[in-house]
Amino acid sequence: MDVVLGFVGDGFTIIATDAGQTRSIMRIKADEDKIPELDEYKIMGCAGDAGDRTHFAEFVAKNLKLYELRNDTALTTAEAAAWTRKALADALRRKPWQVNTLIGGYDEVDGASLYFMDYLAAMAKVPFGAHGYGAYFTYGLMDRMWRPNMSEDEILAILDACIAELQTRFMVSMPAFFVKKVDASGVTVLRSINSFDDERARVGDDEAAAASTN
Amino acid sequence: MPVQAATVAKTDEDGTLDSSTQRSMARRYDSRTTIFSPEGRLYQVEYAMEAISQAGACVGILTSDGIVLAAEKKVTSPLLEPSVNAEKMYRIDAQTAVAVAGMTSDANILVNYARQVGQRYLFSYRKDIPVEQLVRQVCDLKQGYTQYGGLRPFGVSFLYAGWDRLHGYQLYKSDPSGNFGGWKATAIGSNYQNARSTLKQKYEEEMTLDDAKTLAIRVLSKAMDATTMDAEKVELAVLTRVDGAVTLKHLSGDDVAAAIAAFEVIREKEQAEGEGSSASGSGGNGEGAGSGAAAANADDPPPEDEDYA
């Protein structure tokens, strides 16, 4: 049920995920960061099995680091995405990872870029993308609103329209999202949720407060 | 492998090796690729390098516009069918080519391996392998044969010419020990010391590709035994980047002959000038043979190489 959204703008890539960790019909936690930073200039929005998600992201990140140590140079986003795709494809018929990913990155060769990859290791370079049920609700908006070389505010306007649509029409509640940006100066966290200092993240608190006053 | 009592060296009272023991050391240890001799040498590896210094010479010269590779074709018999075009130069992948000195059969194995390395990288990353990584992987294989038992090292040195987005044009040299290094200009194969000392004298940073071709012919003429340069005995290729694609262009016989002619003109001019001032430094052939005068390059000529120069 995880939602992952991604957009390429003018010199940056933005990836957003919902903040929920669910098991069956139960939400376990509501401040889960599903956009691990693979290295200084790469982020990966992940949807899928919680354990696989974490394990796969760490596996990729450590291998990128290993390449960097061995060769004194980091992979470009395109190279890292190709390697990640192959790792997923090689594992597919042995011990598959159940993860759908959007890989965003910035490098000097290609600038900002975004790669869509599903758990079957099908990969495409895209200007925007979404995974899971969220894709059904948001691709129409992205098709209509996305233009090349948009500013950060313009991209965030598309993202907010997508989130509003999900919160209106999607059966699953998604009260909060993580949003990260990667550009020439690295990764920036645009929106995050910390249940210890952000009251809004405490799912059910509003209801509990309402119940106690009644 | 069992330790044999016979391999323990005889020593004098004071612990030094007596001369007869030392002489037999080479024989005792040289059949083992993976065992150091008491002097700390791996004879099989040194013999492999020696085999290469008998092979046809290869020269590589780096310029800012590309790389010139030149090689001596040793004509073994007039009855032998000449190979179509390239005998000692192989394309490894889209960005890299090599020139070979040494055993052709060993080189075939390594070239095949290098091509696999290149394609494996392309399969993993969808980009061509950076030149240094390719060199390193081939050298890792070569190194393995100096350490793991019962195997003979590859009797091959390579000159790798390549271009990649990280470091532009690059020239590397590797030897049977698995050592490699990046060079602006270097030579392998027969008379390599003379070839390198010529390069040391004549190489200039701002050379054009045509200058480099002429220099390559000059260096080969020093390294080859023949008194006159013959286009049929020389292989000349230029690696450049054209519209974003790295190309290795093998020069035709006519173009090679033209490069040789260009060099002959320069040499005659130099000789005319040289006769006025000093008699030394004429561009004759084989002048360094057997003499200890060849400037030893800092990196590798092992001490005994002087016997075979």
Side-chain angles (χ1 to χ4, degrees):
Chain A
M1 297 286 189
D2 300 328
V3 170
V4 190
L5 309 169
F7 311 88
V8 178
D10 186 15
F12 64 91
T13 298
I14 282 179
I15 292 178
T17 61
D18 71 286
Q21 166 115 290
T22 56
R23 186 178 173 82
S24 181
I25 57 166
M26 184 79 81
R27 178 180 294 131
I28 307 295
K29 71 197 282 261
D31 58 352
E32 173 77 349
D33 180 359
K34 290 183 281 197
I35 318 173
E37 289 159 32
L38 299 178
D39 68 16
E40 207 182 334
Y41 293 99
K42 290 173 198 78
I43 51 179
M44 184 162 80
C46 304
D49 180 89
D52 284 3
R53 217 173 55 209
T54 314
H55 182 262
F56 185 60
E58 285 179 1
F59 174 75
V60 173
K62 297 313 175 205
N63 274 282
L64 297 186
K65 185 66 191 171
L66 178 62
Y67 183 98
E68 201 178 325
L69 289 167
R70 276 181 174 161
N71 302 304
D72 282 333
T73 177
L75 289 167
T76 63
T77 316
E79 291 162 343
W83 184 88
T84 307
R85 194 207 74 79
K86 186 167 180 294
L88 205 57
D90 288 345
L92 187 60
R93 286 174 178 82
R94 301 163 195 275
K95 46 174 185 76
W97 283 288
Q98 295 282 341
V99 280
N100 295 320
T101 59
L102 288 176
I103 297 175
Y106 182 91
D107 59 69
E108 285 181 353
V109 180
D110 301 316
S113 55
L114 182 67
Y115 290 83
F116 172 104
M117 181 158 43
D118 69 13
Y119 75 104
L120 295 167
M123 189 177 81
K125 188 181 188 201
V126 291
F128 52 82
H131 276 299
Y133 286 117
Y136 294 119
F137 299 96
T138 56
Y139 260 123
L141 283 164
M142 294 181 190
D143 281 331
R144 176 176 289 256
M145 297 175 74
W146 187 89
R147 297 281 179 278
N149 303 317
M150 285 179 125
S151 70
E152 187 177 323
D153 286 343
E154 288 172 313
I155 292 289
L156 288 177
I158 308 179
L159 176 63
D160 284 332
C162 292
I163 291 173
E165 189 67 15
L166 287 164
Q167 289 172 339
T168 309
R169 292 292 175 188
F170 191 19
M171 186 177 76
V172 179
S173 95
M174 301 204 155
F177 279 75
F178 273 85
V179 183
K180 292 189 188 180
K181 178 183 81 168
V182 59
D183 62 13
S185 55
V187 178
T188 319
V189 180
L190 298 180
R191 297 179 201 170
S192 69
I193 298 100
N194 187 326
S195 53
F196 293 101
D197 58 30
D198 189 341
E199 288 296 320
R200 286 170 301 171
R202 294 193 182 170
V203 178
D205 273 12
D206 292 351
E207 288 90 329
S212 65
T213 50
N214 285 345
Chain B
M1 259 177 281
V3 178
Q4 294 171 341
T7 59
V8 177
K10 278 186 291 179
T11 57
D12 290 343
E13 303 288 292
D14 58 355
T16 56
L17 298 165
D18 63 57
S19 60
S20 65
T21 313
Q22 226 160 18
R23 231 173 291 121
S24 64
M25 273 309 167
R27 290 285 162 267
R28 190 172 293 167
Y29 287 92
D30 65 3
S31 62
R32 300 279 172 83
T33 50
T34 60
I35 305 283
F36 281 110
S37 74
E39 309 94 88
R41 293 158 65 169
L42 293 170
Y43 283 109
Q44 280 301 318
V45 175
E46 290 183 13
Y47 295 161
M49 294 194 201
E50 180 48 35
I52 291 158
S53 65
Q54 317 274 346
C58 289
V59 186
I61 301 170
L62 190 69
T63 76
S64 53
D65 315 315
I67 302 165
V68 172
L69 289 177
E72 170 192 359
K73 277 200 266 191
K74 283 207 166 159
V75 182
T76 48
S77 160
L79 298 177
L80 187 68
E81 287 275 15
S83 59
V84 186
N85 195 357
E87 202 168 280
K88 309 183 71 179
M89 290 174 199
Y90 300 83
R91 194 70 194 250
I92 299 300
D93 70 358
Q95 292 183 160
T96 311
V98 295
V100 172
M103 296 178 64
T104 311
S105 49
D106 282 14
N108 287 336
I109 300 294
L110 286 172
V111 165
N112 186 37
Y113 180 79
R115 286 174 175 161
Q116 282 182 39
V117 167
Q119 293 312 115
R120 206 178 300 133
Y121 189 97
L122 187 62
F123 183 37
S124 286
Y125 300 101
R126 287 199 194 168
K127 285 277 153 61
D128 291 310
I129 186 168
V131 182
E132 190 178 330
Q133 281 192 51
L134 179 83
V135 174
R136 202 167 64 213
Q137 289 200 42
V138 174
C139 285
D140 284 351
L141 182 75
K142 283 183 166 186
Q143 189 282 144
Y145 282 73
T146 71
Q147 184 168 195
Y148 299 109
L151 301 166
R152 167 175 75 76
F154 286 99
V156 181
S157 276
F158 282 123
L159 293 179
Y160 305 79
W163 180 95
D164 64 43
R165 71 168 179 85
L166 296 169
H167 298 111
Y169 291 113
Q170 293 152 77
L171 176 68
Y172 293 90
K173 185 194 74 180
S174 74
D175 69 21
S177 73
N179 250 337
F180 71 91
W183 294 81
K184 289 168 181 166
T186 191
I188 51 177
S190 61
N191 280 322
Y192 67 94
Q193 293 102 327
N194 291 332
R196 282 182 207 168
S197 64
T198 308
L199 286 168
K200 215 168 172 180
Q201 287 165 24
K202 301 284 182 185
Y203 178 81
E204 286 159 29
E205 297 271 342
E206 308 83 24
M207 272 199 301
T208 64
L209 273 176
D210 279 335
D211 293 342
K213 275 185 226 167
T214 313
L215 177 55
I217 297 291
R218 181 197 290 274
V219 172
L220 274 190
S221 80
K222 289 260 184 191
M224 286 163 69
D225 294 329
T227 38
T228 52
M229 292 289 282
D230 183 353
E232 280 178 14
K233 287 181 185 161
V234 175
E235 221 176 300
L236 200 57
V238 182
L239 184 129
T240 49
R241 216 161 86 91
V242 183
D243 300 329
V246 177
T247 58
L248 181 73
K249 186 167 176 270
H250 290 276
L251 271 65
S252 67
D254 291 345
D255 289 344
V256 175
I260 292 172
F263 163 62
E264 298 287 356
V265 170
I266 293 172
R267 183 166 69 172
E268 274 161 30
K269 209 172 109 190
E270 281 175 355
Q271 270 172 339
E273 285 167 6
E275 272 159 26
S277 54
S278 146
S280 70
S282 71
N285 292 294
E287 63 177 11
S291 78
N297 223 313
D299 70 326
D300 61 11
E304 81 279 15
D305 273 354
E306 280 158 27
D307 303 339
Y308 306 96

